[in-house]
Amino acid sequence: MVGSGIAGLTAALRIHAADPTLHLTVVTKDVLAAGSTQWAQGGIAAALGPGDTPEQHEHDTLVAGAGACDVDAVRALVTEGPDAVRELIALGTQFDHHPDGELSLTREGGHHRDRIAHAGGDATGAEIQRALIAAVERAPEIEVIQHALAVDLLLAADGAVAGLTLHVLGEGQHDGVGAVHCRAVVLASGGLGQVFSQSTNPSVSTGDGMAVALRAGARLRDMEFVQFHPTVMWLGPDSQGQQPLISEAVRGEGAFLVDDEGRHFMQGEHPLADLAPRDVVAKAITRRMIETGKPHMWLDARHLGPAFWEKRFPTILRVCREHGVDPVTELIPVAPAQHYASGGVATDLWGRTSVPGLYATGEVACSGVHGANRLASNSLLEGLVFSRRIAEVLPGELRAWAEPTVDSRPEGLVDGERRRPVQEAMTSRVGVLRNATGLAEALDLLGTLDPGDPEVEPAAWETTNLLAISTALAAAAALRTETRGSHWREDFPDRDDTRAGHIDSWLDDGTIRVEWTPAPSTDPSTTPAVTA
Ligand code: SIN
């Protein structure tokens, strides 16, 4: 298992439960809790509330995905989701409950029902991570290697997984590259937020799993569908790296967006106004920023009052105050920032990639559930459901131990100092609003980047990964000549269902190739929402 968030630890626990004789190793780049799961605020979506059904959850997921979802994957997500969440509760996760003992469920953008389970108010991910780590600690047979960056897969002569090289970030003589010989690898290493200058993702999200898969010959899918969260606290024009998220759940509880003149500009934009799907809100904010020349808009949540803020959003309240804004009495400055990769390593319904023995789950994967725009709070659920699915098939599919062959893949390590130019090219030209000129410039900048004189160190591996992933993303964005979901083209402003389908990227002798495969749109929004 590469990665230790909800996807990686669920896969480890479930595979261990399925076959306790297997030797399982979880490798993680930092400490177990350092990934994106820990930072998830809003919660986990599942049809658990009175009157809600998997069919309604499916409908909302398909509408948000703007025609690019895989219906079978979405069906697996929504039908297996409720049991998966119940299992998380049985494992010890303490979700918030009403005084009468009922699970407290809230609403976020794009959902027509209250179906988001949350914990500690706005600390859902931290509580899930705590419970999963505790469960792994109760299973000492699962080996855990922390501070180990996955560098590359070792491949057998037939191209199947034979092992994994790691850069272990120990001290002194323990720091260096080593290898694990294994029969299968599950990538659960999270997203690629650090491709952009501002992201809600933690610093570990450098697209490592996607780059490892790419170099091993796997296909990436729909990389252009990067979700920009509409309400990320704006900290100033020069702020870099992980930025504070103001959960959509704050709008779910009644907060609303206003411009500098106090105009509630989401009204009239969409029937769900401030709770429209995330891409709609991010686009409306960006449009208003362009129209007014302002670097951000405002979120007004003052009417929620101090007691509600303290109980429901203690983390966001603290973080806002640490940055000098008191949301109880002041407006919060917000602007869209990178939040989630809806694309990733292409998998089937059981997490299998195109490389035998390589599986992927969670944000690193493209299972097909998110399409062009992930529905809020579906990501933790995806990690849970698809890791459970991998655990169902992987033990029975293990191949014989194989010797790794000599690695003939082209080398191309990039100096860690090159991270900023990569991020600047991506942020300025492949961000919320894209066009052909900017995308071509980005591809040119990335393609001609001087790799420098890299030391063999983690910063260089990460920057190499960022460059590979950025190139795949920009190339896919250039090929998708339409606006769909979170992919917004200034020069192709409309959705074009003759362009529905998927864009795959892969490495061909060191060069990224991209290819569009048509598929019918899966957006049911022309039919009415399902109600019980
Ligand atoms: C949020 O709390 O707004 C983020 C939840 C998500 O990304 O699903």
Side-chain angles (χ1 to χ4, degrees):
M1 246 61 54
V2 180
S4 56
I6 190 168
L9 296 188
T10 300
L13 289 164
R14 293 287 296 209
I15 295 171
H16 177 62
D19 185 348
T21 66
L22 290 176
H23 182 92
L24 290 175
T25 305
V26 175
V27 296
T28 189
K29 187 159 71 166
D30 198 301
V31 292
L32 281 178
S36 291
T37 295
Q38 174 81 12
W39 293 93
Q41 294 177 349
I44 185 161
L48 291 160
D52 199 2
T53 60
E55 289 74 24
Q56 293 175 70
H57 189 185
E58 176 181 312
H59 181 92
D60 290 345
T61 301
L62 293 174
V63 171
C69 297
D70 177 320
V71 175
D72 293 334
V74 173
R75 198 150 294 155
L77 180 86
V78 299
T79 52
E80 295 168 30
D83 270 353
V85 174
R86 285 186 204 104
E87 187 177 282
L88 208 49
I89 294 170
L91 201 74
T93 311
Q94 305 281 333
F95 284 105
D96 296 335
H97 286 77
H98 291 296
D100 64 5
E102 281 300 310
L103 193 60
S104 168
L105 298 169
T106 189
R107 198 173 294 212
E108 290 179 356
H111 291 273
H112 285 84
R113 289 275 183 187
D114 291 349
R115 63 166 73 100
I116 320 293
H118 47 88
D122 56 6
T124 313
E127 170 56 14
I128 291 174
Q129 187 76 56
R130 180 205 63 73
L132 286 168
I133 290 176
V136 168
E137 284 169 355
R138 293 194 296 272
E141 307 81 12
I142 300 176
E143 183 187 16
V144 174
I145 305 179
Q146 301 186 97
H147 304 288
L149 175 105
V151 174
D152 263 321
L153 289 171
L154 297 170
L155 299 174
D158 62 356
V161 168
L164 180 71
T165 49
L166 299 172
H167 190 127
V168 182
L169 315 164
E171 281 179 8
Q173 59 179 334
H174 298 299
D175 192 315
V177 179
V180 179
H181 195 197
C182 58
R183 293 191 285 162
V185 167
V186 179
L187 294 172
S189 50
L192 50 65
Q194 299 308 318
V195 154
F196 295 92
S197 303
Q198 294 92 26
S199 168
T200 60
N201 295 182
S203 60
V204 291
S205 299
T206 51
D208 304 328
M210 296 174 197
V212 163
L214 198 59
R215 288 192 293 267
R219 288 201 162 217
L220 305 186
R221 179 157 298 159
D222 293 345
M223 292 295 288
E224 69 279 20
F225 295 136
V226 174
Q227 186 165 75
F228 292 83
H229 196 290
T231 53
V232 177
M233 190 176 186
W234 188 78
L235 299 180
D238 301 323
S239 186
Q240 299 270 332
Q242 188 178 12
Q243 311 291 306
L245 175 68
I246 311 296
S247 174
E248 210 158 85
V250 180
R251 276 173 285 134
E253 299 289 1
F256 55 92
L257 288 152
V258 291
D259 62 14
D260 258 44
E261 290 156 14
R263 195 163 79 78
H264 183 178
F265 58 90
M266 281 311 298
Q267 272 176 351
E269 283 277 346
H270 190 278
L272 293 173
D274 294 89
L275 280 178
R278 208 165 268 182
D279 61 317
V280 176
V281 184
K283 284 173 188 156
I285 293 179
T286 306
R287 248 187 252 115
R288 200 72 198 116
M289 281 163 53
I290 294 168
E291 280 160 15
T292 59
K294 303 288 180 192
H296 62 80
M297 292 287 118
W298 302 96
L299 188 67
D300 192 343
R302 294 172 296 181
H303 58 288
L304 300 184
F308 189 81
W309 261 106
E310 272 154 33
K311 178 160 190 302
R312 183 68 180 86
F313 301 117
T315 316
I316 300 171
L317 181 64
R318 175 177 54 73
V319 172
C320 284
R321 284 178 172 163
E322 278 168 12
H323 288 287
V325 175
D326 187 345
V328 177
T329 55
E330 294 173 284
L331 303 179
I332 309 169
V334 290
Q338 194 281 345
H339 182 58
Y340 192 84
S342 298
V345 184
T347 67
D348 68 7
L349 292 174
W350 302 94
R352 304 180 188 102
T353 73
S354 51
V355 172
L358 181 64
Y359 301 77
T361 168
E363 191 173 355
V364 69
C366 180
S367 66
V369 298
H370 306 311
N373 179 45
R374 175 177 64 87
L375 183 66
S377 287
N378 266 356
S379 51
L380 293 174
L381 191 69
E382 183 198 24
L384 258 192
V385 166
F386 285 87
S387 293
R388 286 159 47 110
R389 292 192 138 234
I390 288 174
E392 274 186 51
V393 296
L394 183 146
E397 295 179 351
L398 282 171
R399 299 157 61 95
W401 289 94
E403 276 307 308
T405 52
V406 176
D407 197 342
S408 58
R409 286 169 281 184
E411 289 177 13
L413 202 59
V414 179
D415 197 319
E417 295 289 316
R418 300 296 187 268
R419 179 185 289 227
R420 281 293 276 274
V422 171
Q423 291 174 327
E424 278 162 16
M426 293 299 286
T427 305
S428 60
R429 294 166 175 88
V430 197
V432 184
L433 186 54
R434 302 163 175 175
N435 61 46
T437 310
L439 291 165
E441 283 170 4
L443 283 165
D444 187 49
L445 286 164
L446 298 170
T448 55
L449 190 84
D450 169 11
D453 189 14
E455 303 272 321
V456 178
E457 56 173 5
W461 299 121
E462 286 185 342
T463 306
T464 305
N465 293 341
L466 288 173
L467 179 60
I469 294 312
S470 297
T471 308
L473 201 168
L479 189 59
R480 188 169 289 283
T481 49
E482 61 160 346
T483 288
R484 179 180 297 276
S486 55
H487 173 67
W488 187 14
R489 289 281 301 248
E490 210 172 5
D491 44 353
F492 295 96
D494 299 318
R495 181 160 130 187
D496 173 2
D497 277 342
T498 67
R499 302 291 301 165
H502 301 287
I503 294 181
D504 279 6
S505 4
W506 69 98
L507 257 186
D508 176 13
D509 202 18
T511 301
I512 301 275
R513 307 276 179 214
V514 284
E515 181 182 61
W516 170 64
T517 308
S521 166
T522 54
D523 181 351
S525 60
T526 47
T527 58
V530 186
T531 46

